[in-house]
């Protein structure tokens, strides 16, 4: 693979067209389209990259393509080790690259659980071997996700995987004292605790959002207050101990209000929303198709509107996929027996375009902030995705993705890279296509296909 790449006529963050030269992992030159000096720069870069031997650069026609920073997902389930039938690090990161991602944070609810240095290093190495994007393992907060004893947070932080994000996701750290201890502990290495906010006593047997629709369908409800009570408690704890708290998959209008209040207090509270909670509502449950079963559950139209407004005004910092592949025997079954969770990596940007860009809530620079710069700051990976002012400037990491905003596609589960097929968007026509993705100057996707 040639190590010098010229991106012709791309629009960084949707702005004016530029030619970018990528060499040796960084942006080596930026000029107006067809800039006269580009030829010489390319030749120099090619010479340097090839150690003196001239090689032709790879030229990508970027007309009408928007260059965004490589996307960063704080919330991915890669299922390895333990459920390689549903997803592997290799297949999940392939899906990530095709979706424009260059970093994913792999959740800890694997088998065995990622609660020791050994397991997080295993996942990290699998990511390096696959090479499609950076994999940053999330460490469990409690041993075995059992919620009773703190896991080896320090050992995971100082391991080769350098864990900075800790979460029992799938389970709530419901014990207030354990949550306080975890928040105190991670301060030593600027870590963050990412909470799956669900008061477990309020959601026993829950099958969908609590409300009139659940009553009509005869399904036990998952009340908004079960999420909001934990967010309020943990925001107070984070403020009390001066630590960083991140709220996973915010799903209710009330949660947005509480996070807005916590931020106004000056506390270090950040939050994410999933694409499916921005677009889909509880009405879909009436089909009893388990592809729409997810935790937290799909909520009401009023909730999706509050989540969009919260993401637009920055109360919600970022979009995270909660990509949750499930094998068909766990998903294509009766509603009550089906596992909660949906695929998300290959459709996230498209759903954000539909819900946030096409509706006028966000521009392209805002999308870059919500899907790359902010999650990079929260997860501590600013070495790869540095900051908005440096993006596509000379010397910046050549970690970016090229989006065709005019193209669209009908989602076919069989055409996705994931090993599982549980996408809730089957048959939907979604806007936007990723044409290419680059990780530190190396293409991981070209012409919409894995390299
Ligand atoms: Zn969760």
């Amino acid at each position: 693979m040639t190590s010098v790449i010229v991106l012709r006529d791309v629009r960084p963050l949707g702005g004016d067209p530029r030619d970018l030269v990528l060499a040796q992992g960084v942006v080596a030159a930026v000029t107006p389209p067809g800039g006269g000096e580009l030829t010489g720069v390319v030749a120099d870069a090619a010479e340097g990259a090839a150690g003196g031997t001239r090689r032709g650069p790879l030229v990508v026609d970027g007309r009408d393509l928007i260059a965004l920073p490589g996307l960063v997902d704080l919330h991915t389930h890669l299922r390895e080790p333990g459920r390689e039938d549903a997803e592997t690090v290799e297949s999940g990161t392939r899906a990530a690259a095709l979706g424009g991602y260059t970093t994913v944070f792999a959740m800890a609810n694997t088998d065995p659980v990622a609660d020791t240095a050994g397991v997080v290093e295993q996942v990290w190495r699998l990511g390096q071997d696959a090479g499609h994007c950076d994999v940053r393992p999330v460490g469990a907060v409690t041993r075995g996700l059992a919620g009773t004893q703190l896991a080896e947070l320090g050992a995971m932080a100082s391991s080769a995987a350098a864990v900075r994000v800790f979460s029992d996701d799938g389970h709530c750290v419901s014990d207030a004292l354990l949550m306080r201890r975890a928040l105190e502990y991670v301060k030593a290495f600027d870590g963050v605790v990412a909470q799956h906010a669900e008061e477990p006593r309020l959601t026993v047997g829950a099958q969908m959002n609590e409300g009139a629709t659940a009553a009509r369908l005869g399904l036990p409800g998952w009340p908004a207050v079960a999420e909001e009570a934990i967010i309020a408690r943990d925001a107070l704890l984070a403020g009390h101990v001066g630590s960083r708290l991140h709220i996973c998959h915010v799903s209710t209008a009330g949660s947005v209000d509480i996070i807005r209040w916590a931020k106004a207090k000056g506390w270090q509270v950040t939050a994410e929303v999933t694409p499916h909670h921005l677009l889909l509502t509880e009405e879909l449950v009436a089909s009893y198709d388990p592809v729409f079963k997810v935790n937290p559950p799909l909520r009401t139209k009023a909730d999706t509107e509050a989540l969009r407004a919260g993401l637009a005004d920055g109360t919600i910092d970022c979009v995270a996929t909660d990509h949750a592949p499930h094998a068909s025997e766990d998903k294509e079954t009766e509603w009550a027996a089906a596992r909660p969770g949906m695929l998300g990596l290959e459709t996230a940007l498209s759903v954000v375009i539909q819900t946030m860009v096409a509706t006028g809530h966000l521009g392209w620079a805002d999308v870059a902030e919500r899907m790359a710069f902010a999650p990079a700051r929260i997860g501590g990976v600013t070495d790869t995705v540095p900051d908005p002012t440096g993006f596509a400037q000379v010397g910046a990491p050549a970690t970016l993705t090229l989006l065709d905003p005019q193209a669209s596609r009908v989602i076919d589960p069989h055409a996705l890279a994931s090993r599982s097929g549980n996408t809730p968007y089957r048959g939907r026509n979604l806007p936007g296509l990723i044409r290419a993705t680059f990780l530190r100057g190396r293409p991981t996707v070209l012409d919409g296909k894995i390299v």
Side-chain angles (χ1 to χ4, degrees), residues 75 77 107 109 167-171 195-198 248-249 272 295-296 322:
H75 195 145
H77 297 275
M107 277 298 174
N109 62 339
S167 182
D168 274 5
D169 182 60
H171 301 270
Q195 176 69 295
H196 169 116
E198 175 183 357
C248 297
H249 43 52
E272 70 191 30
N295 188 16
D322 196 4

PDB file of all heavy atoms in Angstrom, residues 75 77 107 109 167-171 195-198 248-249 272 295-296 322, ligand 1:
ATOM      1  N   HIS A  75     -19.021   3.625  23.254  1.00  0.00           N
ATOM      2  CA  HIS A  75     -19.908   2.567  23.765  1.00  0.00           C
ATOM      3  C   HIS A  75     -20.172   1.507  22.692  1.00  0.00           C
ATOM      4  O   HIS A  75     -21.148   1.600  21.942  1.00  0.00           O
ATOM      5  CB  HIS A  75     -21.213   3.216  24.227  1.00  0.00           C
ATOM      6  CG  HIS A  75     -22.070   2.344  25.072  1.00  0.00           C
ATOM      7  ND1 HIS A  75     -22.824   2.836  26.113  1.00  0.00           N
ATOM      8  CD2 HIS A  75     -22.304   1.006  25.047  1.00  0.00           C
ATOM      9  CE1 HIS A  75     -23.489   1.847  26.691  1.00  0.00           C
ATOM     10  NE2 HIS A  75     -23.198   0.723  26.050  1.00  0.00           N
ATOM     11  N   HIS A  77     -20.169  -2.839  21.995  1.00  0.00           N
ATOM     12  CA  HIS A  77     -20.041  -4.214  22.507  1.00  0.00           C
ATOM     13  C   HIS A  77     -19.454  -5.072  21.390  1.00  0.00           C
ATOM     14  O   HIS A  77     -20.105  -5.289  20.371  1.00  0.00           O
ATOM     15  CB  HIS A  77     -21.406  -4.755  22.941  1.00  0.00           C
ATOM     16  CG  HIS A  77     -22.014  -3.983  24.077  1.00  0.00           C
ATOM     17  ND1 HIS A  77     -21.699  -4.248  25.400  1.00  0.00           N
ATOM     18  CD2 HIS A  77     -22.890  -2.951  24.097  1.00  0.00           C
ATOM     19  CE1 HIS A  77     -22.381  -3.410  26.182  1.00  0.00           C
ATOM     20  NE2 HIS A  77     -23.103  -2.610  25.418  1.00  0.00           N
ATOM     21  N   MET A 107     -16.952  -2.373  25.484  1.00  0.00           N
ATOM     22  CA  MET A 107     -17.553  -2.554  26.803  1.00  0.00           C
ATOM     23  C   MET A 107     -17.089  -3.854  27.471  1.00  0.00           C
ATOM     24  O   MET A 107     -16.698  -4.812  26.813  1.00  0.00           O
ATOM     25  CB  MET A 107     -19.073  -2.494  26.698  1.00  0.00           C
ATOM     26  CG  MET A 107     -19.583  -1.061  26.693  1.00  0.00           C
ATOM     27  SD  MET A 107     -19.162  -0.219  28.259  1.00  0.00           S
ATOM     28  CE  MET A 107     -19.722   1.453  27.885  1.00  0.00           C
ATOM     29  N   ASN A 109     -18.640  -6.133  29.363  1.00  0.00           N
ATOM     30  CA  ASN A 109     -19.507  -7.284  29.688  1.00  0.00           C
ATOM     31  C   ASN A 109     -19.294  -8.461  28.747  1.00  0.00           C
ATOM     32  O   ASN A 109     -20.224  -8.974  28.127  1.00  0.00           O
ATOM     33  CB  ASN A 109     -20.986  -6.868  29.723  1.00  0.00           C
ATOM     34  CG  ASN A 109     -21.490  -6.364  28.382  1.00  0.00           C
ATOM     35  OD1 ASN A 109     -20.708  -5.955  27.528  1.00  0.00           O
ATOM     36  ND2 ASN A 109     -22.797  -6.389  28.207  1.00  0.00           N
ATOM     37  N   SER A 167     -16.830   0.918  33.334  1.00  0.00           N
ATOM     38  CA  SER A 167     -18.288   0.809  33.296  1.00  0.00           C
ATOM     39  C   SER A 167     -18.718  -0.627  33.541  1.00  0.00           C
ATOM     40  O   SER A 167     -18.068  -1.563  33.071  1.00  0.00           O
ATOM     41  CB  SER A 167     -18.816   1.277  31.939  1.00  0.00           C
ATOM     42  OG  SER A 167     -20.224   1.212  31.923  1.00  0.00           O
ATOM     43  N   ASP A 168     -19.813  -0.782  34.259  1.00  0.00           N
ATOM     44  CA  ASP A 168     -20.467  -2.087  34.393  1.00  0.00           C
ATOM     45  C   ASP A 168     -21.594  -2.210  33.375  1.00  0.00           C
ATOM     46  O   ASP A 168     -22.536  -2.976  33.573  1.00  0.00           O
ATOM     47  CB  ASP A 168     -21.049  -2.261  35.816  1.00  0.00           C
ATOM     48  CG  ASP A 168     -20.014  -2.808  36.799  1.00  0.00           C
ATOM     49  OD1 ASP A 168     -18.841  -2.955  36.411  1.00  0.00           O
ATOM     50  OD2 ASP A 168     -20.392  -3.069  37.961  1.00  0.00           O
ATOM     51  N   ASP A 169     -21.510  -1.464  32.276  1.00  0.00           N
ATOM     52  CA  ASP A 169     -22.641  -1.335  31.359  1.00  0.00           C
ATOM     53  C   ASP A 169     -23.346  -2.664  31.091  1.00  0.00           C
ATOM     54  O   ASP A 169     -22.715  -3.699  30.920  1.00  0.00           O
ATOM     55  CB  ASP A 169     -22.218  -0.746  30.022  1.00  0.00           C
ATOM     56  CG  ASP A 169     -23.421  -0.574  29.126  1.00  0.00           C
ATOM     57  OD1 ASP A 169     -24.335   0.168  29.507  1.00  0.00           O
ATOM     58  OD2 ASP A 169     -23.480  -1.233  28.077  1.00  0.00           O
ATOM     59  N   GLY A 170     -24.662  -2.561  31.026  1.00  0.00           N
ATOM     60  CA  GLY A 170     -25.526  -3.740  31.045  1.00  0.00           C
ATOM     61  C   GLY A 170     -26.123  -3.869  32.436  1.00  0.00           C
ATOM     62  O   GLY A 170     -27.249  -4.304  32.609  1.00  0.00           O
ATOM     63  N   HIS A 171     -25.311  -3.429  33.404  1.00  0.00           N
ATOM     64  CA  HIS A 171     -25.751  -3.362  34.798  1.00  0.00           C
ATOM     65  C   HIS A 171     -25.467  -1.961  35.316  1.00  0.00           C
ATOM     66  O   HIS A 171     -24.504  -1.327  34.903  1.00  0.00           O
ATOM     67  CB  HIS A 171     -24.990  -4.359  35.672  1.00  0.00           C
ATOM     68  CG  HIS A 171     -25.137  -5.774  35.242  1.00  0.00           C
ATOM     69  ND1 HIS A 171     -26.133  -6.603  35.691  1.00  0.00           N
ATOM     70  CD2 HIS A 171     -24.393  -6.513  34.391  1.00  0.00           C
ATOM     71  CE1 HIS A 171     -26.012  -7.792  35.144  1.00  0.00           C
ATOM     72  NE2 HIS A 171     -24.965  -7.777  34.352  1.00  0.00           N
ATOM     73  N   GLN A 195     -21.721   5.368  33.715  1.00  0.00           N
ATOM     74  CA  GLN A 195     -22.809   4.676  34.421  1.00  0.00           C
ATOM     75  C   GLN A 195     -23.955   4.293  33.486  1.00  0.00           C
ATOM     76  O   GLN A 195     -24.436   5.124  32.704  1.00  0.00           O
ATOM     77  CB  GLN A 195     -23.341   5.587  35.538  1.00  0.00           C
ATOM     78  CG  GLN A 195     -24.540   5.056  36.301  1.00  0.00           C
ATOM     79  CD  GLN A 195     -24.247   3.833  37.186  1.00  0.00           C
ATOM     80  OE1 GLN A 195     -23.915   2.761  36.695  1.00  0.00           O
ATOM     81  NE2 GLN A 195     -24.351   4.018  38.500  1.00  0.00           N
ATOM     82  N   HIS A 196     -24.367   3.039  33.575  1.00  0.00           N
ATOM     83  CA  HIS A 196     -25.625   2.568  32.970  1.00  0.00           C
ATOM     84  C   HIS A 196     -26.688   2.860  34.024  1.00  0.00           C
ATOM     85  O   HIS A 196     -26.812   2.137  35.003  1.00  0.00           O
ATOM     86  CB  HIS A 196     -25.499   1.076  32.657  1.00  0.00           C
ATOM     87  CG  HIS A 196     -26.788   0.398  32.287  1.00  0.00           C
ATOM     88  ND1 HIS A 196     -27.003  -0.157  31.043  1.00  0.00           N
ATOM     89  CD2 HIS A 196     -27.904   0.154  32.993  1.00  0.00           C
ATOM     90  CE1 HIS A 196     -28.207  -0.696  31.013  1.00  0.00           C
ATOM     91  NE2 HIS A 196     -28.780  -0.536  32.181  1.00  0.00           N
ATOM     92  N   ALA A 197     -27.410   3.957  33.828  1.00  0.00           N
ATOM     93  CA  ALA A 197     -28.296   4.478  34.877  1.00  0.00           C
ATOM     94  C   ALA A 197     -29.637   3.743  34.872  1.00  0.00           C
ATOM     95  O   ALA A 197     -30.505   4.018  34.034  1.00  0.00           O
ATOM     96  CB  ALA A 197     -28.500   5.982  34.671  1.00  0.00           C
ATOM     97  N   GLU A 198     -29.781   2.821  35.792  1.00  0.00           N
ATOM     98  CA  GLU A 198     -31.017   2.029  35.882  1.00  0.00           C
ATOM     99  C   GLU A 198     -31.152   1.521  37.315  1.00  0.00           C
ATOM    100  O   GLU A 198     -30.440   0.587  37.702  1.00  0.00           O
ATOM    101  CB  GLU A 198     -30.964   0.838  34.906  1.00  0.00           C
ATOM    102  CG  GLU A 198     -32.167  -0.088  35.027  1.00  0.00           C
ATOM    103  CD  GLU A 198     -32.077  -1.324  34.114  1.00  0.00           C
ATOM    104  OE1 GLU A 198     -31.090  -1.439  33.340  1.00  0.00           O
ATOM    105  OE2 GLU A 198     -32.976  -2.168  34.186  1.00  0.00           O
ATOM    106  N   CYS A 248     -24.162   6.909  30.347  1.00  0.00           N
ATOM    107  CA  CYS A 248     -24.393   6.151  29.115  1.00  0.00           C
ATOM    108  C   CYS A 248     -25.822   6.388  28.616  1.00  0.00           C
ATOM    109  O   CYS A 248     -26.738   6.663  29.397  1.00  0.00           O
ATOM    110  CB  CYS A 248     -24.219   4.658  29.367  1.00  0.00           C
ATOM    111  SG  CYS A 248     -22.558   4.170  29.863  1.00  0.00           S
ATOM    112  N   HIS A 249     -26.004   6.204  27.326  1.00  0.00           N
ATOM    113  CA  HIS A 249     -27.318   6.146  26.656  1.00  0.00           C
ATOM    114  C   HIS A 249     -28.487   6.826  27.391  1.00  0.00           C
ATOM    115  O   HIS A 249     -29.452   6.177  27.788  1.00  0.00           O
ATOM    116  CB  HIS A 249     -27.694   4.715  26.312  1.00  0.00           C
ATOM    117  CG  HIS A 249     -27.425   3.677  27.367  1.00  0.00           C
ATOM    118  ND1 HIS A 249     -27.865   3.798  28.661  1.00  0.00           N
ATOM    119  CD2 HIS A 249     -26.753   2.506  27.305  1.00  0.00           C
ATOM    120  CE1 HIS A 249     -27.484   2.725  29.344  1.00  0.00           C
ATOM    121  NE2 HIS A 249     -26.798   1.937  28.547  1.00  0.00           N
ATOM    122  N   GLU A 272     -23.971  10.789  26.905  1.00  0.00           N
ATOM    123  CA  GLU A 272     -24.100  10.353  25.511  1.00  0.00           C
ATOM    124  C   GLU A 272     -25.553  10.000  25.216  1.00  0.00           C
ATOM    125  O   GLU A 272     -26.328   9.682  26.126  1.00  0.00           O
ATOM    126  CB  GLU A 272     -23.231   9.100  25.259  1.00  0.00           C
ATOM    127  CG  GLU A 272     -23.804   7.869  25.961  1.00  0.00           C
ATOM    128  CD  GLU A 272     -22.890   6.645  25.993  1.00  0.00           C
ATOM    129  OE1 GLU A 272     -21.653   6.814  26.007  1.00  0.00           O
ATOM    130  OE2 GLU A 272     -23.433   5.524  26.034  1.00  0.00           O
ATOM    131  N   ASN A 295     -32.150  -1.691  25.846  1.00  0.00           N
ATOM    132  CA  ASN A 295     -32.101  -1.199  27.220  1.00  0.00           C
ATOM    133  C   ASN A 295     -31.121  -0.035  27.326  1.00  0.00           C
ATOM    134  O   ASN A 295     -29.941  -0.220  27.036  1.00  0.00           O
ATOM    135  CB  ASN A 295     -31.653  -2.330  28.155  1.00  0.00           C
ATOM    136  CG  ASN A 295     -31.779  -1.936  29.619  1.00  0.00           C
ATOM    137  OD1 ASN A 295     -32.461  -0.972  29.940  1.00  0.00           O
ATOM    138  ND2 ASN A 295     -31.107  -2.660  30.496  1.00  0.00           N
ATOM    139  N   PRO A 296     -31.530   1.172  27.754  1.00  0.00           N
ATOM    140  CA  PRO A 296     -32.900   1.544  28.091  1.00  0.00           C
ATOM    141  C   PRO A 296     -33.827   1.444  26.878  1.00  0.00           C
ATOM    142  O   PRO A 296     -33.368   1.501  25.739  1.00  0.00           O
ATOM    143  CB  PRO A 296     -32.755   2.990  28.571  1.00  0.00           C
ATOM    144  CG  PRO A 296     -31.504   3.487  27.944  1.00  0.00           C
ATOM    145  CD  PRO A 296     -30.596   2.311  27.872  1.00  0.00           C
ATOM    146  N   ASP A 322     -23.833   2.278  21.367  1.00  0.00           N
ATOM    147  CA  ASP A 322     -24.337   1.111  22.107  1.00  0.00           C
ATOM    148  C   ASP A 322     -24.564  -0.051  21.143  1.00  0.00           C
ATOM    149  O   ASP A 322     -25.533  -0.808  21.273  1.00  0.00           O
ATOM    150  CB  ASP A 322     -25.604   1.429  22.909  1.00  0.00           C
ATOM    151  CG  ASP A 322     -25.894   0.358  23.968  1.00  0.00           C
ATOM    152  OD1 ASP A 322     -25.075  -0.576  24.130  1.00  0.00           O
ATOM    153  OD2 ASP A 322     -26.950   0.453  24.615  1.00  0.00           O
TER     154      ASP A 322
HETATM  155 ZN1  LIG B   1     -26.159   0.048  28.979  1.00  0.00          ZN
END
